[in-house]
Amino acid sequence: MDTLTFVSYKKEEEWYTLVQSLWQQSMDPPVFYSASMLAVYNGINEQSICVAILRKNDEAIIALPIVEAAITENAHYSGWDNLGPIKRKGVKKEDEIFFWQQMLKHWPQLKLQYFNAETLNFKQLKGGQYIEVPKRDCPYINLKEDWEALNQT
C-alpha cells in the first residue's frame, strides 16, 4: 500500500536516518538534500522543515524536504539548484505521479523553487493545476547507472 507521511525535524534521529538512508540509495540525489546539509539548513532557518515521504510496502521510496508556511514550499536557500525529490533507485513513473498527486491533495498550493527541469512532470497529473514560472534553467545531464555504461556513450 502506498502512503504519504510527514516526519518533522523535531523527531531528529528518525528524520536524519530516514533522509540519509534514502539519499544514499538514490541514483542521483540532490546534493543539497543530504541529511547533514538539511540539518544545517534547519539550524539557520527560522522555520522548521519536515520531510514528505512516500512509502510503498512500508519502504520509503520518495522524499521531499518541505517548509510549511502560509504557502508551503520545498526547502531551498539562495544559490541552491538542481533540486528535486530524493528518489530511491528504480522508482517507477506512476509512483512519482502518485507522490505529486498526494502532495497536491495535502497542500493545494505548493511552491517549488530551484527544481531541475527533469523533476517537474506536472503535465502528467490528471486534474492537477499548476503554474510554471519562467526562469533560467540550470543545465542537467542524466548520467548512466554505472561506469561501463557511461564509457560506452
Side-chain angles (χ1 to χ4, degrees):
M1 181 173 159
D2 298 349
T3 56
L4 185 68
T5 58
F6 305 93
V7 178
S8 170
Y9 188 79
K10 293 172 188 160
K11 300 178 180 178
E12 184 177 353
E13 189 175 317
E14 175 188 358
W15 179 93
Y16 193 93
T17 302
L18 214 154
V19 170
Q20 193 61 19
S21 172
L22 187 57
W23 194 83
Q24 289 172 341
Q25 296 173 41
S26 178
M27 170 126 170
D28 188 17
V31 68
F32 296 106
Y33 283 172
S34 70
S36 55
M37 190 71 165
L38 289 170
V40 169
Y41 171 85
N42 197 69
I44 61 174
N45 193 6
E46 293 176 12
Q47 299 166 316
S48 184
I49 61 175
C50 74
V51 179
I53 301 161
L54 179 64
R55 296 177 196 272
K56 188 171 196 150
N57 301 322
D58 290 328
E59 188 175 345
I61 61 168
I62 301 176
L64 180 66
I66 52 176
V67 177
E68 290 185 280
I71 295 178
T72 300
E73 56 188 353
N74 64 297
H76 64 276
Y77 207 73
S78 181
W80 289 15
D81 60 8
N82 277 334
L83 299 179
I86 306 165
K87 298 182 285 187
R88 182 178 299 264
K89 190 175 176 179
V91 165
K92 295 178 181 165
K93 183 65 79 184
E94 58 263 21
D95 293 327
E96 200 172 345
I97 290 170
F98 180 78
F99 174 77
W100 290 115
Q101 287 171 334
Q102 295 304 302
M103 289 289 286
L104 291 172
K105 273 186 188 176
H106 194 80
W107 292 292
Q109 290 188 352
L110 181 62
K111 183 178 179 182
L112 304 174
Q113 295 190 66
Y114 307 110
F115 266 48
N116 68 50
E118 296 291 313
T119 298
L120 300 174
N121 296 316
F122 289 106
K123 293 174 184 163
Q124 298 177 6
L125 296 179
K126 290 179 175 62
Q129 293 183 354
Y130 67 95
I131 297 171
E132 201 168 322
V133 178
K135 63 175 177 39
R136 184 179 60 92
D137 284 330
C138 186
Y140 181 84
I141 300 170
N142 283 318
L143 298 177
K144 302 293 180 183
E145 288 190 32
D146 58 43
W147 187 250
E148 261 183 45
L150 184 62
N151 282 330
Q152 291 176 3
T153 57

